[in-house]
Amino acid sequence: MRFLRVNYFLTTTTLAILAILIFFASIIFVFHLTKPKPVKIRADSLESSLPKEDLGALADRTGSNILGTTNKVEIVKEFPARKTAFGYNAIVVNWKESLDEESEVTVQVSTSDEGRIWSGWKNAEKDPDSDGKEPPAEGENFSNLIVAEGNFIKYRLRVLTDPKNEGTVEKIKLIYIDSEESFWEKFWRNLHEKVAVAPNIVKGSFAATTSRKPTDRPNIISRSRWGADPKLMRWGPEYRKIKKMFVHHTVTLNAGSNPAATVRAIYYFHSVVRKWGDIGYNYLADSKGNIYEGRYGGDGVVGGHVYHYNYGSVGVAVIGDYRTAYPTKAAKNALQQIAVWKSTSHGFDPAGRSRFGSPGYEYTFANVTNHGDVGDTECAGKNLNNFVPLLRTLARQMPLEVLALYKNGSLKRVAFSKNRLATDVLRDLRRSSTIALVQPNYIRKQVDFPDDPAVPDDPLFNSQWYLTKIKQDQAWRSSLGSSGVKVAVLDTGVAYENYVDGSGSYSQLPDFGNTSFDSANAYDFVNGDAHANDDNGHGTAVVSIIAASTNNSLANASIAPAVTILPIKVLNKNGFGIDSDIAKGISWATARGARVINFSFGGPENSYILGRRISSAYSKGAVVVAAAGNNSSAKPFYPAATGYVLGVGATRFDNSRAYYSNYGSWIDLFAPGGDTRVDQNRDGKKDGLYLPTISAVGNNYSNFKYLYMSGTSLAASHVSAVAALAASRGVGTNSLIERTLLRSTRDLGRRGVDNIYRYGLLQATLQIP
């Protein structure tokens, strides 16, 4: 009987598993069977002209003098209504003119379904993206895309000119486009979408979830999903690293019933009518927050959206006309998603400025901007342009989520829909009786090395001038540090182990061969595993200053070679991290006995939640050290400006403030950061700090090279290392360690504690009470 029961159970289970497999196999089969085909776009044109003889006759017969002018008349020529060969949903006007520069030409169109009731006259305004790939030919003009449905068209010409003008308006070409799907195209596309959702075949990002990273790709409607016909494309992809983002608008309907049809019409307009070979924008967003793939080729492909500024930039157009209308909440969220994704994936500061442009057109402007900032155009419309400054700030926050600290101590990422704004969600959550603090989930960035470093000739210790500047050669006589003192480095990870997984291949830096690592407690909060390996190089350089193996005949010496390093990865391979991961990293370091916690990252936003975690770490005995930032600014930079944190600025060889270093009353002290632009000690080498970084090849992060670097990241590492030496020498509490560091400094600038150098330059020869 037991055998029969077991056999029956196995048979039932097998059948259930088989049924499930058949079900999913059927879904996959139907998914591929219903895969939508490209939408066939139809287009035709109506043509006419206004030669100079007709223009002159009209000027004599119908021209009316214009008030306020001495010799100009307005000529109106209306062409007969025409029935089109098929129904259309978009119109473009192309015309050529050879009038004097002061003449003005306006083409107007009117549409009708049945030829009896007509729409009002619509101006065929000149295309605001007319400089997208290259300027049109001399005298040639294109209107923007007019989204309008009908089967009949009439149009008229309005010319403001001198009555004796000898010019012409020729080749007036009215192109009408049908980019709507047929019944069966729509049927199979809808079925495909429904089937795709069932097994989660179509993967999304930045949806209402809290497991996303800044570098994750948003949910984007691919070219195949919106029906791009590859036969229309005449484009060979080119690629550049992205440094800028431009916002555009399409000057079409703001809330059209079929935005995908509008995208297809724009595709035909750009690729065929304008002869650009493909759609100009890299991405488009509609009023519902849907994002459409534009230019073919994927991430980093060169678009055709702003001539002279398209190489190395991403162009994003919001469907609609925002000169009078306002962008929806969903459209704003879509722009934020793209700005976050591109800036963190390509490593540019969305709120920063940089020099950019093709030769002869370079100048310094904002990294996230609108088309009108570099071209003679209103694009992206007044109301969308007004949103761009806020977009720069939002691009430093995780989209569609906020960070909440509950009164029970738990920290959660709270997601919200694309139809809500973060400000609304923050307001509502602050009313909750269970929440102590709520804020945006800010994105922090490693404090970059501000110069392009040069490879040195050799790795001799005598090139490490920065160690003598803090009298480290004398401090070693007292202590090399203690393995019982743990320094937590929250960064891009550390090259501390030999390890291979799905993300890549990692190796230990040779100069870390004798360095003590708390490998058992290392953690990667970016990828959620116990291997905090470095895929960037920043964290490895930081640790090299603190605890690289010394007296091993390799590379360089460190300040506290005998202390223990706790690697904690909170920044991704591009150097970006989010407050939720950083907060977890602080708690992790505190719970595992870190005496010193080093931050070589930051941003301009004050995080109260990070402040709470830092305060907790301090209350449990940790010394917290942070880089002051490389913006050459007195504006506070966080977490360096947060309470209970030692904020550290950078000096160069002559002990003056390095040109890039932030400064101000919120900073505590300075330490060597270097300056690779100069050679003040005249040793034939740039005055940077000679440090290792990772030379990645694909996903292989096992290759290293030594470079001269500079930055406040490196200055902070000096302070963390000397703080660890103080703890190793028995200085008891963190407050006493901090007082010891500050009383041992070398005075710089104005005598005493000033608002530039504060307590002065770090000295490793500690005056221990």
Side-chain angles (χ1 to χ4, degrees):
M1 183 66 71
R2 177 178 295 178
F3 172 77
L4 292 176
R5 288 178 179 173
V6 171
N7 189 48
Y8 173 78
F9 172 77
L10 291 174
T11 303
T12 305
T13 303
T14 302
L15 289 173
I17 293 172
L18 184 61
I20 293 171
L21 291 174
I22 292 173
F23 172 73
F24 279 103
S26 300
I27 289 176
I28 293 172
F29 175 75
V30 174
F31 177 78
H32 288 287
L33 181 67
T34 61
K35 188 174 181 179
K37 296 180 180 179
V39 175
K40 300 298 182 183
I41 300 176
R42 298 187 293 174
D44 206 341
S45 62
L46 306 174
E47 296 188 27
S48 58
S49 63
L50 189 62
K52 62 181 180 181
E53 296 82 5
D54 292 352
L55 188 64
L58 283 169
D60 293 337
R61 187 170 68 252
T62 64
S64 56
N65 290 323
I66 305 301
L67 293 176
T69 65
T70 56
N71 61 348
K72 287 190 177 182
V73 293
E74 183 183 49
I75 302 165
V76 179
K77 168 68 174 179
E78 184 171 327
F79 296 89
R82 302 274 296 274
K83 187 177 189 307
T84 56
F86 46 81
Y88 56 84
N89 65 295
I91 303 167
V92 177
V93 183
N94 171 216
W95 72 95
K96 293 184 179 179
E97 59 185 71
S98 58
L99 304 170
D100 62 70
E101 292 184 358
E102 295 184 357
S103 297
E104 298 177 19
V105 176
T106 303
V107 181
Q108 298 177 311
V109 299
S110 181
T111 60
S112 175
D113 286 330
E114 71 297 310
R116 295 190 302 274
I117 301 175
W118 292 85
S119 69
W121 290 105
K122 299 182 180 72
N123 285 341
E125 299 175 278
K126 290 185 178 181
D127 180 20
D129 280 323
S130 60
D131 61 347
K133 182 180 179 185
E134 56 190 19
E138 182 70 27
E140 185 173 25
N141 299 276
F142 292 90
S143 76
N144 58 43
L145 187 74
I146 301 171
V147 175
E149 296 182 352
N151 294 283
F152 290 82
I153 297 178
K154 61 181 178 180
Y155 56 104
R156 67 185 183 187
L157 195 65
R158 303 174 68 91
V159 182
L160 178 63
T161 186
D162 188 310
K164 297 179 180 179
N165 196 306
E166 294 293 322
T168 64
V169 180
E170 56 182 338
K171 293 184 180 178
I172 306 168
K173 189 175 184 179
L174 193 148
I175 304 156
Y176 54 94
I177 303 167
D178 175 19
S179 63
E180 295 280 1
E181 295 172 297
S182 68
F183 172 82
W184 286 110
E185 285 173 331
K186 187 178 295 185
F187 173 81
W188 288 115
R189 188 175 302 281
N190 290 337
L191 180 60
H192 178 81
E193 292 293 327
K194 290 177 181 178
V195 173
V197 170
N200 198 26
I201 293 174
V202 177
K203 295 180 180 179
S205 290
F206 282 138
T209 178
T210 56
S211 61
R212 301 301 175 188
K213 304 178 182 66
T215 51
D216 282 347
R217 184 179 189 267
N219 184 18
I220 295 173
I221 298 173
S222 67
R223 289 167 64 93
S224 62
R225 286 175 62 196
W226 58 256
D229 185 353
K231 293 181 180 179
L232 299 180
M233 194 181 74
R234 300 288 186 272
W235 161 247
E238 300 175 73
Y239 293 89
R240 293 289 189 279
K241 186 176 179 63
I242 295 172
K243 300 179 180 179
K244 299 278 185 179
M245 173 174 160
F246 286 97
V247 177
H248 304 256
H249 67 164
T250 61
V251 203
T252 55
L253 296 178
N254 288 84
S257 59
N258 192 347
T262 300
V263 173
R264 290 191 292 270
I266 294 171
Y267 174 49
Y268 186 90
F269 174 36
H270 287 181
S271 61
V272 179
V273 178
R274 297 305 310 271
K275 299 179 181 179
W276 294 346
D278 197 358
I279 196 167
Y281 311 118
N282 295 96
Y283 302 95
L284 301 96
D286 65 23
S287 62
K288 295 180 180 179
N290 298 311
I291 302 172
Y292 301 82
E293 180 186 12
R295 196 75 155 185
Y296 172 80
D299 185 43
V301 71
V302 176
H305 55 103
V306 182
Y307 191 51
H308 297 305
Y309 301 95
N310 54 332
Y311 280 77
S313 67
V314 58
V316 184
V318 182
I319 298 173
D321 185 345
Y322 297 97
R323 290 171 295 183
T324 54
Y326 289 87
T328 63
K329 294 178 180 180
K332 292 177 179 179
N333 281 323
L335 287 173
Q336 182 190 8
Q337 291 176 55
I338 297 172
V340 167
W341 172 40
K342 291 300 178 181
S343 63
T344 58
S345 296
H346 290 265
F348 68 88
D349 180 0
R353 298 170 63 84
S354 62
R355 188 171 179 81
F356 189 78
S358 60
Y361 293 87
E362 296 175 290
Y363 74 102
T364 300
F365 58 94
N367 292 340
V368 174
T369 191
N370 53 282
H371 182 187
D373 275 359
V374 296
D376 185 17
T377 172
E378 294 180 309
C379 188
K382 178 180 69 174
N383 296 316
L384 195 51
N385 290 343
N386 289 341
F387 170 67
V388 169
L390 177 59
L391 176 61
R392 296 173 189 138
T393 299
L394 292 175
R396 283 176 162 171
Q397 304 171 16
M398 280 296 289
L400 304 181
E401 69 175 62
V402 295
L403 190 58
L405 178 63
Y406 288 78
K407 291 182 178 178
N408 63 6
S410 63
L411 185 66
K412 294 182 180 179
R413 297 164 68 178
V414 181
F416 57 89
S417 78
K418 64 183 179 182
N419 294 313
R420 301 189 71 194
L421 293 178
T423 50
D424 302 330
V425 177
L426 290 170
R427 182 193 62 233
D428 293 343
L429 289 177
R430 283 170 181 148
R431 296 170 180 167
S432 171
S433 60
T434 62
I435 293 177
L437 287 172
V438 62
Q439 65 173 55
N441 196 1
Y442 293 116
I443 300 169
R444 308 285 169 180
K445 191 178 188 306
Q446 70 183 33
V447 180
D448 286 322
F449 310 128
D451 303 292
D452 184 16
V455 179
D457 295 326
D458 55 70
L460 299 177
F461 164 68
N462 59 17
S463 69
Q464 293 182 267
W465 55 266
Y466 44 94
L467 296 181
T468 58
K469 288 292 181 181
I470 65 169
K471 298 182 180 178
Q472 183 58 41
D473 52 337
Q474 300 176 38
W476 279 325
R477 301 170 187 172
S478 301
S479 175
L480 296 177
S482 167
S483 61
V485 174
K486 192 179 297 184
V487 180
V489 177
L490 276 65
D491 214 289
T492 59
V494 182
Y496 72 103
E497 65 172 351
N498 298 315
Y499 184 73
V500 178
D501 66 3
S503 67
S505 176
Y506 306 88
S507 293
Q508 184 183 78
L509 179 75
D511 203 24
F512 288 163
N514 297 326
T515 302
S516 174
F517 290 101
D518 184 5
S519 301
N521 287 310
Y523 201 82
D524 178 353
F525 285 96
V526 175
N527 300 300
D529 60 50
H531 298 277
N533 290 295
D534 193 353
D535 48 12
N536 174 282
H538 189 269
T540 297
V542 165
V543 172
S544 181
I545 291 175
I546 300 171
S549 302
T550 303
N551 293 327
N552 63 347
S553 300
L554 284 176
N556 54 10
S558 67
I559 295 172
V563 302
T564 296
I565 298 295
L566 172 57
I568 300 176
K569 183 176 176 65
V570 295
L571 306 180
N572 66 16
K573 65 189 299 181
N574 293 310
F576 289 90
I578 51 179
D579 278 2
S580 52
D581 287 344
I582 294 168
K584 292 175 184 176
I586 297 170
S587 297
W588 183 273
T590 306
R592 282 146 188 85
R595 290 298 308 276
V596 180
I597 302 176
N598 185 91
F599 302 143
S600 288
F601 56 80
E605 299 87 3
N606 185 13
S607 169
Y608 295 100
I609 289 176
L610 288 190
R612 283 281 187 97
R613 292 300 165 97
I614 290 169
S615 175
S616 176
Y618 187 84
S619 69
K620 294 176 182 178
V623 176
V624 185
V625 181
N630 298 338
N631 309 109
S632 189
S633 170
K635 294 180 180 179
F637 187 80
Y638 298 92
T642 304
Y644 303 107
V645 176
L646 287 174
V648 186
T651 55
R652 57 183 192 165
F653 179 83
D654 66 358
N655 295 335
S656 65
R657 180 179 70 88
Y659 74 94
Y660 53 80
S661 178
N662 288 345
Y663 57 92
S665 59
W666 51 276
I667 290 176
D668 295 286
L669 73 168
F670 276 66
D675 184 349
T676 60
R677 302 185 312 172
V678 296
D679 178 17
Q680 292 183 317
N681 61 357
R682 299 183 180 180
D683 64 354
K685 303 170 186 176
K686 295 180 180 180
D687 291 342
L689 280 61
Y690 178 62
L691 298 167
T693 188
I694 293 173
S695 180
V697 179
N699 289 332
N700 185 349
Y701 305 102
S702 300
N703 300 313
F704 306 98
K705 60 183 177 181
Y706 280 75
L707 306 174
Y708 279 128
M709 305 176 187
S710 60
T712 57
S713 286
L714 311 180
S717 307
H718 283 71
V719 174
S720 291
V722 175
L725 287 181
S728 299
R729 292 179 61 184
V731 181
T733 65
N734 52 359
S735 60
L736 186 56
I737 290 173
E738 290 182 357
R739 288 200 299 272
T740 299
L741 293 178
L742 297 179
R743 70 184 292 179
S744 303
T745 56
R746 174 181 174 179
D747 191 31
L748 299 177
R750 299 179 67 177
R751 187 171 183 178
V753 179
D754 59 62
N755 285 332
I756 299 294
Y757 294 97
R758 300 300 289 153
Y759 282 85
L761 180 65
L762 172 75
Q763 300 290 282
T765 49
L766 300 172
Q767 300 176 27
I768 298 176

